[in-house]
Amino acid sequence: NAGVMQNPRHLVRRRGQEARLRCSPMKGHSHVYWYRQLPEEGLKFMVYLQKENIIDESGMPKERFSAEFPKEGPSILRIQQVVRGDSAAYFCASSFGTGNNEKLFFGSGTQLSVL
Amino acid sequence: RKEVEQDPGPFNVPEGATVAFNCTYSNSASQSFFWYRQDCRKEPKLLMSVYSSGNEDGRFTAQLNRASQYISLLIRDSKLSDSATYLCVVNPLYSGGYQKVTFGIGTKLQVIP
């Protein structure tokens, strides 16, 4: 049973380009969360999605960032016109449900470097 | 006040020592609590859940104090392999019925030979 799969592991972009980060949740999981970890900082919540719905995007920057979780295929975190400050590790997590003690399972992350 | 606060450390301890971390949370409605471990900016991995009655898993003991709004992690007989960053995780159940897990900044532990 494969875990949470993220790709690519490393992504290098020049300023102004677009970055697309993909996340396939664990089999049977329909809840996806994206977190960002800046150097020397903790994980910051970005967005929570269920299939075809954005439930909570309160942690997403207002501009350039968007996320989706289509009916078929992986969840995508999209960053348009990247800037150096977007360089970070982006982790995706999934869960089976939303119960009190529901555990999150994390992917290996995508390390985004903006030149 | 931050939702979840941790001392970032680092805690440098000799092998075999006992070390304890605390984590405070601000939302009294928080429902569930966890400790995760993160190695060298790899993905966080669940270490243990934290229950009101306290729980133990081998050398690791977790406690919850709802009155004072903190959780703790105790590691006995520290091993070199315990060197990592320990993330406190708090899960308030929002009115929308879903969880929005909040991570602390993490406490870095370095076990020294």
Side-chain angles (χ1 to χ4, degrees), chain B residues 44-92:
Chain B
K45 293 184 178 175
L46 178 66
L47 181 65
M48 58 197 307
S49 303
V50 187
Y51 303 120
S52 297
S53 55
N55 49 303
E56 189 173 309
D57 183 3
R59 297 181 293 109
F60 298 83
T61 301
Q63 298 274 0
L64 166 63
N65 185 319
R66 284 193 184 271
S68 301
Q69 292 183 209
Y70 76 85
I71 68 172
S72 63
L73 178 68
L74 181 79
I75 306 175
R76 289 180 297 277
D77 189 23
S78 300
K79 311 287 185 195
L80 294 176
S81 57
D82 294 333
S83 297
T85 297
Y86 291 84
L87 305 172
C88 170
V89 178
V90 174
N91 178 15

Side-chain angles (χ1 to χ4, degrees), chain A residues 35 37 56 58 100 104 107, chain B residues 32 38 41 43 98 100-101:
Chain A
Y35 287 82
Q37 189 171 33
D56 184 338
S58 57
N100 274 354
L104 293 183
Chain B
S32 53
Q38 187 176 30
R41 298 185 65 76
E43 74 272 26
Y98 66 91
K100 181 177 171 182
V101 170

Side-chain angles (χ1 to χ4, degrees), chain A residues 21-63:
Chain A
L21 288 62
R22 285 175 288 278
C23 168
S24 296
M26 280 182 74
K27 189 175 180 181
H29 286 192
S30 58
H31 304 267
V32 167
Y33 309 78
W34 284 93
Y35 287 82
R36 176 166 67 174
Q37 189 171 33
L38 293 167
E40 305 306 320
E41 292 191 16
L43 283 94
K44 301 291 186 189
F45 169 82
M46 299 183 75
V47 62
Y48 161 51
L49 311 102
Q50 294 179 21
K51 282 285 188 184
E52 300 185 274
N53 287 303
I54 297 174
I55 308 300
D56 184 338
E57 55 182 346
S58 57
M60 292 275 272
K62 294 286 186 276
E63 297 175 349

